[in-house]
């Protein structure tokens, strides 16, 4: 069984075209595999980054809580100091009055 020359040339051209398409498909498959591995690597990196950010957020929340507690304690100390200062001023005023009145009584008695 013999085939015509034109048919043979057409078959050869089709075989060549199929080989090129097969090579192209092979390149695309390897490119997709590389992209898939890159994507998986990116997903792992993103997960690591997310975990790192979650730890940072927890740490920040703890620091914020500690800061709030410290501020509350400082506010209490300042309030107590303010009350003590007001009491000391009042006592100082009373002492001044006592000294003046006492001095006046001693001066009058003398």
């Amino acid at each position: 069984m013999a085939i015509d020359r034109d048919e043979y040339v057409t078959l050869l051209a089709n075989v060549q075209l199929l080989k090129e398409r097969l090579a192209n498909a092979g390149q695309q498959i390897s490119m997709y595999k590389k992209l898939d591995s890159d994507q998986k690597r990116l997903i792992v990196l993103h997960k690591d980054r997310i975990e790192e950010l979650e730890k940072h957020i927890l740490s920040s929340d703890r620091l914020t809580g500690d800061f709030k507690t410290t501020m509350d304690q400082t506010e209490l100390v300042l309030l107590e100091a303010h009350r003590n200062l007001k009491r000391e001023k009042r006592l100082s005023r009373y002492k001044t009055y006592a000294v003046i009145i006492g001095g006046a009584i001693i001066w009058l008695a003398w």
Side-chain angles (χ1 to χ4, degrees):
M1 173 157 177
I3 57 172
D4 207 16
R5 178 174 167 72
D6 291 336
E7 245 182 276
Y8 180 73
V9 170
T10 305
L11 282 174
L12 272 177
N14 284 339
V15 167
Q16 185 63 29
L17 183 64
L18 288 174
K19 283 182 180 180
E20 288 174 6
R21 285 184 182 171
L22 184 62
N24 188 13
Q27 288 176 348
Q28 285 182 356
I29 288 171
S30 65
M31 186 175 70
Y32 285 134
K33 285 180 181 177
K34 184 175 186 243
L35 284 174
D36 185 51
S37 67
D38 288 347
Q39 185 179 14
K40 286 178 183 173
R41 191 170 349 130
L42 281 175
I43 288 171
V44 168
L45 289 174
H46 284 280
K47 284 182 181 178
D48 290 346
R49 182 69 176 148
I50 288 170
E51 289 173 3
E52 192 176 302
L53 288 172
E54 286 173 345
K55 288 178 185 175
H56 181 70
I57 289 170
L58 287 174
S59 173
S60 296
D61 288 346
R62 265 188 260 124
L63 286 174
T64 302
D66 292 347
F67 179 73
K68 187 175 183 326
T69 303
T70 303
M71 288 303 294
D72 291 342
Q73 291 172 350
T74 304
E75 189 174 324
L76 290 174
V77 168
L78 287 174
L79 237 116
E80 186 64 30
H82 182 68
R83 280 190 214 124
N84 289 340
L85 182 62
K86 284 172 74 176
R87 186 173 11 139
E88 289 294 325
K89 281 176 142 181
R90 190 173 56 244
L91 291 175
S92 176
R93 188 172 55 234
Y94 294 152
K95 286 178 187 176
T96 303
Y97 293 153
V99 168
I100 291 173
I101 293 171
I105 291 174
I106 292 175
W107 182 71
L108 287 174
W110 187 51

